[in-house]
Amino acid sequence: EVPMDNSEVKNFKLKFDIKNKDLLVWNNEIIMSRTEEDYFKKMFIILEKLNLCTDSILEIGFGLGISGSLIQKHLIPTKHHIVEIEANIFKDLLAFTQKNSGVVATLGDWRLIDLPEKEYDFIFNDAYDYGGISEYANFSYDDHYLIFSKILKDDGVICHPHFGDGPVRDVKGFKTTIVERLKVNPIVMWDQSICEDAAIVLRRKD
């Protein structure tokens, strides 16, 4: 499908230190690496078994396309809307839409796009924080959930990666559930540290 008009929506084109099918590095920070794949595979297999309603999905951040492919395989949405802020990664996303029917791609900052209210059954939020870029809008964590509460169906769920074995923060207006804590193959984090613990976190409106 044709991407939505994004003339008013902030996006940017970065000069990556490394950009290939296994690694995205910008500004000496790892935005995403293939080392996350084991965790994501385990996550989506477990999510599939929960039999959640996943007819209409919003995915925030395309990255290397790992979660996009797994959502298609395990959650089988009718509509899979993916928003990506970085123009080079967006080209990879457009190629992904050619191979997967029902995928709608939008270039821009999901927080500044006029997304339809009460549209999504399932939101997967794996957005990278480009806080080092002056054009990147400054929203708080709670601001994000105010937007989520508008666009999520009343019985919908939000899922996001949780790295490490530490506590998961609570969010006002949402009930947080840790579905499972996992041991995963070593993940190289943004700062080169190694993580072997992760969790599957779901949030529902209170």
Side-chain angles (χ1 to χ4, degrees):
E1 295 194 36
V2 180
M4 295 177 187
D5 173 42
N6 57 287
S7 54
E8 298 300 312
V9 177
K10 285 185 184 171
N11 63 78
F12 33 74
K13 198 172 213 170
L14 302 177
K15 189 166 173 20
F16 286 100
D17 307 336
I18 301 169
K19 183 183 180 295
N20 58 42
K21 67 179 180 55
D22 295 321
L23 192 59
L24 293 170
V25 181
W26 166 75
N27 209 16
N28 291 323
E29 290 184 6
I30 295 174
I31 291 176
M32 186 157 203
S33 89
R34 186 69 53 183
T35 61
E36 294 180 39
E37 193 161 35
D38 175 61
Y39 166 36
F40 279 17
K41 279 180 175 172
K42 287 174 176 168
M43 183 194 309
F44 284 103
I45 286 168
I46 290 166
L47 288 172
E48 180 182 9
K49 288 176 183 163
L50 294 179
N51 288 320
L52 302 165
C53 181
T54 53
D55 192 50
S56 176
I57 290 181
L58 172 66
E59 181 178 3
I60 301 166
F62 183 66
L64 296 170
I66 297 170
S67 52
S69 299
L70 291 166
I71 284 169
Q72 284 287 305
K73 179 180 177 182
H74 293 287
L75 304 186
I76 316 171
T78 306
K79 180 187 178 185
H80 184 180
H81 184 186
I82 307 176
V83 180
E84 171 57 52
I85 197 168
E86 202 282 323
N88 295 300
I89 297 174
F90 184 72
K91 284 182 192 162
D92 300 334
L93 170 53
L94 283 180
F96 182 79
T97 66
Q98 301 300 312
K99 298 178 190 150
N100 297 278
S101 65
V103 178
V104 178
T106 302
L107 174 65
D109 185 332
W110 71 274
R111 303 163 305 172
L112 303 174
I113 293 166
D114 193 17
L115 293 166
E117 292 195 7
K118 299 206 172 173
E119 166 70 17
Y120 302 106
D121 299 299
F122 184 93
I123 296 174
F124 186 67
N125 179 24
D126 194 20
Y128 184 79
D129 182 359
Y130 288 103
I133 297 177
S134 58
E135 305 93 339
Y136 190 67
N138 188 19
F139 284 78
S140 74
Y141 203 78
D142 287 335
D143 291 336
H144 289 176
Y145 276 85
L146 284 172
I147 300 169
F148 287 149
S149 68
K150 288 179 189 154
I151 63 177
L152 190 68
K153 288 181 185 171
D154 287 338
D155 55 355
V157 280
I158 297 166
C159 179
H160 63 83
H162 179 84
F163 299 101
D165 57 3
V168 176
R169 74 167 93 179
D170 285 320
V171 181
K172 193 176 165 191
F174 285 82
K175 179 175 178 285
T176 302
T177 307
I178 299 172
V179 178
E180 200 165 322
R181 291 191 181 267
L182 306 168
K183 286 285 178 194
V184 294
N185 290 345
I187 298 167
V188 185
M189 301 300 291
W190 66 274
D191 59 355
Q192 312 278 339
S193 63
I194 299 292
C195 169
E196 295 183 63
D197 293 278
I200 300 168
V201 178
L202 293 181
R203 291 200 171 97
R204 291 179 172 84
K205 291 184 189 178
D206 266 345

